[in-house]
Amino acid sequence: MPLSPSTPSRRALLAATGALLAQPGLAQPVVWPNRSVRVLVGYPAGGANDLVARAVSAPLSDILGQSFVVENRAGAAGSIAAEAAARAAPDGYTLYMVSSSQVLAPSIRRNLGFDPLKDFTPIALGARSPYYLAVHPSVPAKDVKDLVALAKARPGALSYASSGVGAGPHLTMSLFMAVAGVELEHVPYKGDADLMADLTTGRVPISFISVAASYPHIKAGTLRALAVSGGERLALTPEVPTVAECGYPGFAMDAWWGLVGPAGLAPEIVEKTAAAMRPILDAPAFTARFATLGVVPGKLGPAEFGALIRADRSRFDEIVRIAKIPVQD
C-alpha cells in the first residue's frame, strides 16, 4: 500500500531529503550568471580598452542571458580598476578588461595594489593592436633598413617620440634599438594627442605610435609608415611589412586587451565565458568594427591567454632592464 503525504514515514523521508540537500556539498548548483555582471575598465569611455570591452559585453549579454555592464573606473593608468577587480569576490559577477599596460606596470612602478600574475584568472584575449613605426616625410628613410643606417651614421642625433616613459611605445622602441643596435634620443609626451602635434610637423620625427592615432596621417601622406610592430601585417595597410620581416626575426610588440576575473574564479565560469566569447571574436562584424583602428581579434582561450600574460611580464622586465628605464614610486 503506497504511503500518503500525511503518513509519518512519508514526512520523515521528505525531511531527510531536505536536510541532505541543505548540506553545502550536496546543494543544487547555482546557475551562473543569474544576475547582471559588471565589467571593469580602467580607462575613460571611447578609448580602445573601453571599445573592446563594450564590443564583447553586449553580445555576452545576449549569449548568457544576463546583462554585462561596462563600468569605467579611470585613473592611475588603469590601476584603480585593476585593484578593484583584484579585490572583488571570485563569484563571476565582477570581471575586468585588463590591458597589456597593467601587465607592464610592475616593471616600471613600485607599490602597485595588484599583481597581474597572482590576482587575476585569465579568461580570453579579446583583441590586440600593433604600433606603426612612423616617420615624418622629412626623414630620408624609405624603409627600416634605411632608418637603421641613418641612425648608425648619426648616433644619438635622431630623436623619437613616445606617449610616455614606460608606455608600450617606449618599450617597443627600446626593444627595437636593442635588436637593431642603434641609439635614438627619447622625447616622452603625456599621450598620443600631444605627441602627434610634434610628430606631424617633424619636430620629433620618429615614433612607434598607435594605429588609431597615426593612420589618418599615414593615409594623408603627412606621416610615412615603415613597419608595424606586431607579428602580422595589418589588413588596413597590407603593403607595410612587420619589423620582423625587415630583418629582425621574432620581433613582435603590440597592445592587447583581454577579459579576466579575480583569482580563484571557478573553472566552470571561466570556460563558460570563454566559450561564449569565441563566436563573438570570430564574427566578421567584430573585425569590421575595428578595422580602421588596427585592432584585430585576439582569440586566445584561458590557458593561452595566461601564457601570454606570464611571457609578457618576463619580457617587459627584461626590456626595462636593458633600456635602463627608471622604476617609479
Side-chain angles (χ1 to χ4, degrees), residues 31-39 56-69 91-93 95 123-124 259 265 268-280:
V31 176
W32 179 90
N34 60 15
R35 54 186 172 87
S36 64
V37 177
R38 62 175 181 164
V39 180
V56 168
S57 296
L60 278 177
S61 300
D62 296 331
I63 294 171
L64 296 177
Q66 294 290 342
S67 296
F68 280 67
V69 181
D91 56 9
Y93 293 99
L95 303 179
I123 296 174
L259 199 62
L265 188 63
E268 296 80 8
I269 295 176
V270 172
E271 291 300 331
K272 188 172 184 178
T273 309
M277 284 184 66
R278 288 177 199 127
I280 298 170

Side-chain angles (χ1 to χ4, degrees), residues 77 192 204 269:
D192 284 348
V204 182
I269 295 176

Side-chain angles (χ1 to χ4, degrees), residues 206-235:
I206 304 167
S207 182
F208 273 105
I209 179 74
S210 72
V211 175
S214 59
Y215 176 69
H217 298 279
I218 291 167
K219 186 177 180 181
T222 51
L223 289 177
R224 183 165 58 248
L226 303 186
V228 292
S229 66
E232 298 178 352
R233 296 190 184 198
L234 283 173

